[in-house]
Amino acid sequence: MLVAAAVCPCPPLLVPDVAAGAAPELDAARAACSDALGLLAASRPDLLVVVGPADESGRGTFPQGAPGSFRGFGVDLDVHLGGEGPAPAAAERGLPPSLAVAAWLLERTDWSDAPVEGLGVGEPLAAERCVRAGQAIAGRAERVALLVMGDASACRTLKAPGYLDERAEAFDAEVARALGVADLAALKALDTELAYELKASGRAAWQVLAGAAEGAGLGGALLYDDAPYGVGYLVAAWS
């Protein structure tokens, strides 16, 4: 059963080495992520599953110790999921960027001894399949925790990656509300097509969370809500 969850954004800019001179602009987001992961660790799970968006090459499961890298962003920095490894089976393919950011966050958390696994989910994955995937994850152990990576819309300003879309602010506000109160029905009902048009990479991962949380009775708290680069970044903790 799911006992806790942390929701974090996944831009590589969260890593100060990647952000370079712009690093201070996301200090508040990093602090909120640290707080959320601290609450996650305090839940003392038997298993932590990290879920994040991925392209075709990064979809599927990743074992503890799977390697990730920020070399593609011009930084000589490597990470491993769960801070161990790499295990022989983990070295076959690298983590997608969202899970690499999660690995970086976990390396800076006083994590428990619970095993860690990763799951990269594709943007096209239908809501029903996301929910079923979450249900399956929740049944994996008596005490399961989720670290859910993903960004809200990328269309909040004229300089945003997706340019300005007047629908983005309302979409992000509803996601923030749903994550802040652990509204499973609202997360399951997110408009898949609208999320795609607004370049909201977190939609599928949030719906995996909604499936995993069924029957768990968790409450939510929104720890961060901003769009410093025209992209919605949200941090929430469920327990």
Side-chain angles (χ1 to χ4, degrees):
M1 175 178 287
L2 188 71
V3 296
V7 178
C8 295
C10 61
L13 288 173
L14 269 182
V15 180
D17 288 352
V18 175
E25 297 177 18
L26 288 180
D27 280 349
R30 293 185 195 97
C33 289
S34 179
D35 290 343
L37 265 68
L39 293 171
L40 203 63
S43 70
R44 301 185 64 81
D46 301 319
L47 171 67
L48 171 65
V49 179
V50 182
V51 183
D55 61 17
E56 289 187 15
S57 65
R59 295 173 191 169
T61 59
F62 293 84
Q64 183 160 348
S69 173
F70 295 97
R71 297 175 190 273
F73 301 96
V75 175
D76 185 12
L77 176 63
D78 299 318
V79 291
H80 294 96
L81 187 64
E84 310 232 355
E92 296 176 5
R93 61 178 182 146
L95 298 168
S98 66
L99 298 191
V101 173
W104 180 85
L105 289 171
L106 285 170
E107 287 182 357
R108 281 142 189 85
T109 302
D110 186 14
W111 187 245
S112 67
D113 294 329
V116 180
E117 298 179 8
L119 175 64
V121 291
E123 183 279 331
L125 194 63
E128 295 79 7
R129 293 187 62 190
C130 294
V131 170
R132 288 199 299 271
Q135 292 168 338
I137 290 171
R140 293 275 311 281
E142 185 175 343
R143 297 180 63 81
V144 176
L146 277 180
L147 173 52
V148 181
M149 309 297 293
D151 301 337
S153 74
C155 303
R156 292 279 291 274
T157 66
L158 292 173
K159 294 183 178 180
Y163 197 65
L164 176 65
D165 191 311
E166 294 180 354
R167 302 170 296 173
E169 187 171 353
F171 177 88
D172 288 357
E174 172 58 10
V175 173
R177 185 203 65 80
L179 291 174
V181 298
D183 187 337
L184 308 188
L187 292 174
K188 293 176 184 177
L190 289 175
D191 188 323
T192 303
E193 185 61 29
L194 178 60
Y196 173 76
E197 293 173 0
L198 296 178
K199 303 183 183 301
S201 70
R203 189 274 308 171
W206 299 330
Q207 290 181 325
V208 171
L209 168 61
E214 287 181 356
L218 302 183
L222 188 66
L223 306 183
Y224 180 87
D225 177 5
D226 203 356
Y229 301 108
V231 181
Y233 296 150
L234 302 168
V235 180
W238 291 16
S239 60

